[in-house]
Amino acid sequence: MPASSYRLDVLIQGYPGRSVCNGGLGWSTIALLRGGDRVILVDVGAFGVRRELGKQLAARGVDPAAVTDVVLTHAHYDHAVNFPLFPNATIWIGAEEISWAASQPPGFDPLPELYVQELASSPKVRRVAAGDTFLPGMRALAAPGHTPGHLVFTFDGTEVPIVFTGDAAKNRAELLSGEGADTEDAETSRRTIEMIWSLWRAHPGTLLVPGHDLTMRLDADGLPEYLGERKAGIKAWFDEDLERTTHFDLCPRC
Ligand SMILES: [Zn+2]
């Protein structure tokens, strides 16, 4: 099939924040690529996103059974646990990532132990080595730091190239500061973010899809600019019935 024939849809926007007293939000990016006979998801989100993800797929006429490939940046629960919802998909994850994740004892961290076991043993899972072009136009690069076997993916089957960074660079603040929060290795994360910048600058117009923020591209001054409008909020039941809710807007500059 010709190049530039895939379409990108970000089904779920990642959000660059966490709650103050209740742990991580786990609001991560889910992206859809469609072209030729392939329907690809890059990361699949946490349990809390299931209904919304189902809605977003339905809105685009995508049957979960028609998803051909699920590509995981890393093994954390908020990116990985929904892979069983796509029964006919091949699941792709870094070989080093799954070996590392499967060797970790249960801990107070974002690894979903039982899902990691399934990823480590299922015949539907294909292990990707850094440097591999494992799907047409999609190449994996080693992006350690946040987790030891984290991969970033470059994709050149769309009109402009895309870099999917997952949590190797979760948000704009990490890209601009060059520092990764929540990293297994701060210095390694710094080098990975430098590598991401070189991928991003290599081809003008390249889109960067991060794990917990809006899609960005570089403006004329080489600085990240957001594409699309951020939407995030919470509604809460603080009244005595279910009809009245209190809304908290989580987009201060929206
Ligand atoms: Zn993560």
Side-chain angles (χ1 to χ4, degrees):
M1 64 182 301
S4 310
S5 57
Y6 279 70
R7 174 196 168 109
L8 169 72
D9 290 286
V10 174
L11 299 180
I12 302 290
Q13 291 181 1
Y15 187 77
R18 68 164 48 119
S19 71
V20 176
C21 309
N22 300 84
L25 296 169
W27 293 354
S28 63
T29 304
I30 304 176
L32 171 70
L33 289 166
R34 283 176 288 174
D37 56 0
R38 298 231 180 235
V39 180
I40 303 168
L41 288 170
V42 181
D43 284 341
V44 285
F47 291 137
V49 82
R50 282 185 168 191
R51 285 185 199 282
E52 184 62 29
L53 176 57
K55 264 196 250 173
Q56 294 297 328
L57 287 166
R60 290 163 179 81
V62 176
D63 180 345
V67 172
T68 58
D69 301 275
V70 165
V71 177
L72 299 176
T73 56
H74 65 303
H76 281 163
Y77 82 96
D78 54 326
H79 297 256
V81 291
N82 289 325
F83 71 85
L85 302 181
F86 306 100
N88 298 316
T90 299
I91 317 298
W92 304 87
I93 189 168
E96 192 179 335
E97 178 72 0
I98 199 58
S99 296
W100 164 76
S103 71
Q104 300 305 298
F108 293 86
D109 59 38
L111 281 176
E113 298 82 3
L114 303 182
Y115 287 79
V116 165
Q117 281 180 25
E118 180 68 12
L119 287 169
S121 59
S122 167
K124 291 181 172 180
V125 174
R126 301 278 300 274
R127 299 183 182 213
V128 181
D132 280 359
T133 298
F134 59 99
L135 287 169
M138 186 170 283
R139 190 159 74 100
L141 293 114
H146 179 73
T147 58
H150 194 298
L151 295 174
V152 300
F153 306 108
T154 60
F155 187 71
D156 65 6
T158 34
E159 196 176 341
V160 292
I162 307 171
V163 182
F164 296 96
T165 67
D167 285 358
K170 292 191 282 301
N171 55 48
R172 180 173 171 271
E174 290 192 354
L175 288 159
L176 287 173
S177 68
E179 305 275 337
D182 310 308
T183 176
E184 299 272 330
D185 182 332
E187 183 49 41
T188 303
S189 271
R190 268 183 220 113
R191 286 199 296 273
T192 287
I193 292 170
E194 277 173 30
M195 183 274 290
I196 287 169
W197 271 102
S198 63
L199 291 174
W200 200 7
R201 290 178 176 129
H203 302 286
T206 296
L207 300 181
L208 186 145
V209 180
H212 292 269
D213 210 340
L214 297 182
T215 300
M216 289 168 258
R217 71 180 163 208
L218 295 175
D219 68 13
D221 298 319
L223 293 171
E225 65 179 356
Y226 285 127
L227 298 176
E229 180 195 355
R230 194 188 304 284
K231 290 180 189 161
I234 288 175
K235 70 176 180 180
W237 288 273
F238 292 136
D239 285 288
E240 286 79 36
D241 59 54
L242 297 178
E243 279 68 50
R244 281 176 292 176
T245 54
T246 305
H247 283 245
F248 296 91
D249 182 2
L250 296 178
C251 308
R253 290 193 298 268
C254 299

